Amino acid sequence: GAVVSQHPSRVICKSGTSVKIECRSLDFQATTMFWYRQFPKQSLMLMATSNEGSKATYEQGVEKDKFLINHASLTLSTLTVTSAHPEDSSFYICSARPLGLNYGYTFGSGTRLTVV
Amino acid sequence: TQLLEQSPQFLSIQEGENLTVYCNSSSVFSSLQWYRQEPGEGPVLLVTVVTGGEVKKLKRLTFQFGDARKDSSLHITAAQPGDTGLYLCAGGDGGTSYGKLTFGQGTILTVHP
């Protein structure tokens, strides 16, 4: 149980276009999901907290107009990278936590975004 | 701002050796989690510790949460090549609901046959 599915796993897009990444909790409901960015051989950097039915909370330095987050249902959050540039190329990962004590966060398998 | 200092950043050892990874903070965390991540994949939860002084064992891995809930360690006995990966510690700030996670910098472990 406690599976988070992330799609797509890899995407290549042209500069100036937008890309949408989906994060789904398959067997549990998640009122909160988290979006991270990870550079090669580095740790995860939290970008924003996605809240079902309300606005996302962005970390300092993250452009909310560039990284649009929508959490319209209890099982789906989306991250849209708008007007992508090569410097947006990175590994994006989402996570969610099933309710209940002693459950850690479950992470998606990540999305490798390459902007050319 | 809560920070987690993870060390060492890189660890390269021979099969059969033991190793310890440390996570330290000046802040108190409600929980401490350890993850392992392989290239191109998301992190996979290894363990969650919530009680100060708690020790958990997972086969050859031993996890410890400091008495003051500010630090944690991961000890691997008789490392194997399959243990190779990025190990991440993460502290929770939301009591039993965990809340937002603060990640350490990560430890890249390479175990040579």
Side-chain angles (χ1 to χ4, degrees):
Chain A
V3 177
V4 171
S5 173
Q6 190 170 340
H7 179 80
S9 57
R10 291 177 179 270
V11 58
I12 300 173
C13 70
K14 293 184 177 180
S15 281
T17 62
S18 296
V19 174
K20 180 184 285 188
I21 302 170
E22 292 187 350
C23 181
R24 293 180 184 274
S25 56
L26 297 186
D27 48 3
F28 65 98
Q29 294 182 332
T31 56
T32 303
M33 292 185 176
F34 300 88
W35 287 96
Y36 296 86
R37 184 173 180 176
Q38 186 177 34
F39 292 103
K41 296 187 178 182
Q42 293 188 24
S43 188
L44 278 67
M45 181 184 73
L46 180 66
M47 299 176 64
T49 302
S50 173
N51 304 298
E52 187 268 334
S54 64
K55 290 182 179 180
T57 304
Y58 290 82
E59 295 299 299
Q60 191 173 5
V62 177
E63 299 176 59
K64 58 183 67 177
D65 293 332
K66 180 163 189 64
F67 298 100
L68 300 179
I69 291 173
N70 184 280
H71 194 155
S73 78
L74 287 171
T75 59
L76 174 63
S77 175
T78 60
L79 168 67
T80 301
V81 183
T82 63
S83 187
H85 289 100
E87 55 265 32
D88 298 325
S89 298
S90 191
F91 194 55
Y92 293 87
I93 310 175
C94 68
S95 77
R97 186 185 68 83
L99 293 177
L101 196 63
N102 295 329
Y103 271 81
Y105 286 85
T106 300
F107 286 80
S109 53
T111 297
R112 171 71 60 194
L113 170 64
T114 303
V115 184
V116 298
Chain B
T1 302
Q2 293 179 309
L3 294 174
L4 262 178
E5 295 290 333
Q6 187 173 343
S7 63
Q9 191 174 356
F10 300 95
L11 203 50
S12 181
I13 61 173
Q14 293 296 126
E15 182 176 2
E17 293 183 5
N18 302 331
L19 66 111
T20 303
V21 179
Y22 300 92
C23 262
N24 296 289
S25 176
S26 58
S27 303
V28 175
F29 289 99
S30 57
S31 68
L32 204 297
Q33 297 160 36
W34 286 91
Y35 295 85
R36 178 168 169 267
Q37 184 183 21
E38 298 200 30
E41 298 181 12
V44 175
L45 178 69
L46 296 174
V47 78
T48 300
V49 285
V50 297
T51 305
E54 183 175 5
V55 177
K56 281 191 175 180
K57 291 193 174 183
L58 187 67
K59 296 184 180 178
R60 293 177 293 102
L61 279 60
T62 302
F63 305 86
Q64 188 164 9
F65 201 12
D67 291 340
R69 292 187 290 136
K70 293 182 179 180
D71 56 271
S72 181
S73 64
L74 157 62
H75 182 78
I76 301 179
T77 304
Q80 299 176 1
D83 296 326
T84 294
L86 173 65
Y87 288 81
L88 297 160
C89 62
D93 70 354
T96 54
S97 65
Y98 299 140
K100 193 166 63 175
L101 289 179
T102 298
F103 277 89
Q105 298 96 324
T107 297
I108 297 176
L109 170 64
T110 304
V111 182
H112 301 279

